């Protein structure tokens, strides 16, 4: 009962944060002098990538932990993080072109940042597809953990791409040097949107982890029932003979 109350309270708090963050991004944040209203997508675009990278990093750590310990809970966390990360990555890939079209005049260009990002999305889609193709639980967890570690290598490449190469993307406005930065009100609104985004990520991640745990427990119970039924049938046939 306490767990259910806590989940409901957490959901209400996160929902309130989302509503207020959306209002702040649309109506409180000051107008950007160059891009004007279209720049407000920034407050949804950047948090989606921050939560995406965080979710993939959790998957990376869980993959290493599973290969080290072989404990199923790390496999549950790995797949939960991957699914949340793919969802956030998809949001980033949608909001990016919506922002780019009015500003750059194009929906998409195959520069270093966009190409490595698209590859990242494909890698984690492949991670989830790989899990669906394998039946045996331990083999599924092992192979997907190995592939997940490989897939994460693209994350720092995406992050550093507009620092290492000349891309369509501008230089970072956060930690990007002395000429970068945001107005104080913009920083506060962005912080609020990031907190709201991470709140959503945590809620979904926890529920997805619980679902994967329940799937595992159900599979264990089904295996036990089938094993007992098989033993009972064997004993019955043996008694007849």
């Amino acid at each position: 009962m306490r767990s259910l109350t806590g989940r409901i309270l957490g959901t209400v708090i996160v929902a309130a944060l989302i509503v207020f963050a959306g209002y702040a991004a649309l109506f409180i944040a000051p107008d950007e002098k160059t891009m004007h209203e279209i720049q407000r997508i920034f407050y949804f675009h950047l948090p989606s990538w921050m939560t995406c990278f965080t979710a993939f990093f959790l998957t990376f750590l869980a993959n290493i932990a599973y290969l080290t310990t072989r404990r199923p809970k790390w496999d549950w966390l790995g797949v939960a993080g991957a699914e949340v990360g793919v969802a956030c990555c998809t949001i980033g890939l949608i909001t990016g072109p919506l922002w780019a079209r009015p500003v750059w005049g194009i929906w998409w260009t195959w520069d270093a940042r966009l190409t490595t990002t698209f590859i990242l999305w494909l890698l984690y889609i492949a991670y989830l597809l790989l899990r669906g193709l394998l039946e045996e639980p331990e083999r599924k967890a092992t192979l997907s953990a190995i592939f997940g570690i490989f897939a994460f290598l693209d994350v720092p490449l995406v992050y550093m791409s507009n620092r290492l190469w000349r891309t369509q993307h501008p230089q970072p406005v956060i930690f990007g040097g002395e000429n970068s930065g945001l107005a104080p009100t913009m920083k506060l609104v962005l912080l609020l949107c990031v907190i709201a985004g991470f709140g959503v990520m945590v809620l979904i991640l926890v529920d997805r982890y619980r679902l994967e745990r329940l799937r595992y427990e159900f599979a264990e119970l089904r295996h036990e029932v089938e094993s007992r039924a098989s033993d009972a049938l064997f004993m019955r046939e043996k008694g007849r003979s």
Side-chain angles (χ1 to χ4, degrees):
M1 186 64 182
R2 290 181 179 178
S3 176
L4 179 60
T5 303
R7 291 172 65 184
I8 293 174
L9 180 61
T11 303
V12 170
I13 292 174
V14 171
L17 276 172
I18 293 172
V19 172
F20 186 53
Y23 177 83
L26 295 174
F27 301 109
I28 296 178
D31 181 65
E32 204 276 333
K33 64 181 180 180
T34 303
M35 293 178 282
H36 301 293
E37 294 301 316
I38 193 62
Q39 185 269 346
R40 297 182 188 277
I41 294 179
F42 165 77
Y43 299 105
F44 307 97
H45 182 69
L46 182 59
S48 69
W49 287 116
M50 294 177 73
T51 52
C52 166
F53 290 159
T54 302
F56 287 155
F57 182 62
L58 287 175
T59 296
F60 172 70
L61 294 179
N63 292 156
I64 294 176
Y66 178 79
L67 293 177
T68 304
T69 66
R70 301 290 175 172
R71 299 180 67 179
K73 68 176 184 178
W74 297 117
D75 181 54
W76 309 339
L77 180 60
V79 66
E83 289 192 0
V84 173
V86 166
C88 296
C89 187
T90 303
I91 294 172
L93 288 173
I94 292 173
T95 55
L98 290 175
W99 187 5
R101 183 65 177 85
V103 176
W104 298 343
I106 53 174
W107 293 101
W108 185 271
T109 181
W110 293 100
D111 69 1
R113 166 59 66 86
L114 296 179
T115 302
T116 54
T117 299
F118 184 64
I119 291 172
L120 180 69
W121 184 76
L122 291 177
L123 284 171
Y124 279 95
I125 291 290
Y127 171 93
L128 297 176
L129 290 175
L130 175 64
R131 294 185 62 88
L133 294 174
L134 301 173
E135 294 292 337
E136 201 278 314
E138 186 172 349
R139 185 165 179 263
K140 176 196 296 186
T142 301
L143 291 179
S144 59
I146 294 171
F147 185 84
I149 293 172
F150 164 75
F152 184 78
L153 297 178
D154 192 36
V155 171
L157 195 60
V158 172
Y159 178 76
M160 294 298 297
S161 58
N162 63 338
R163 294 170 171 84
L164 298 175
W165 299 286
R166 186 174 182 177
T167 69
Q168 188 73 29
H169 272 74
Q171 289 300 307
V173 297
I174 302 175
F175 308 121
E178 60 180 9
N179 295 323
S180 64
L182 295 172
T185 305
M186 287 182 172
K187 288 181 180 179
L188 291 175
V189 173
L190 176 61
L191 178 61
L192 178 62
C193 292
V194 169
I195 292 172
F198 272 93
V200 174
M201 185 198 76
V202 170
L203 282 180
I204 299 175
L205 188 68
V206 169
D207 281 345
R208 186 60 187 83
Y209 176 87
R210 287 171 175 164
L211 175 60
E212 197 64 23
R213 183 184 63 190
L214 289 173
R215 284 181 175 176
Y216 178 85
E217 292 172 351
F218 174 76
E220 289 287 300
L221 287 173
R222 184 176 65 179
H223 176 73
E224 184 179 351
V225 169
E226 290 175 351
S227 178
R228 290 184 179 182
S230 178
D231 291 343
L233 180 62
F234 174 77
M235 295 301 295
R236 191 180 303 116
E237 294 294 330
K238 184 177 180 181
R240 289 177 181 176
S241 63

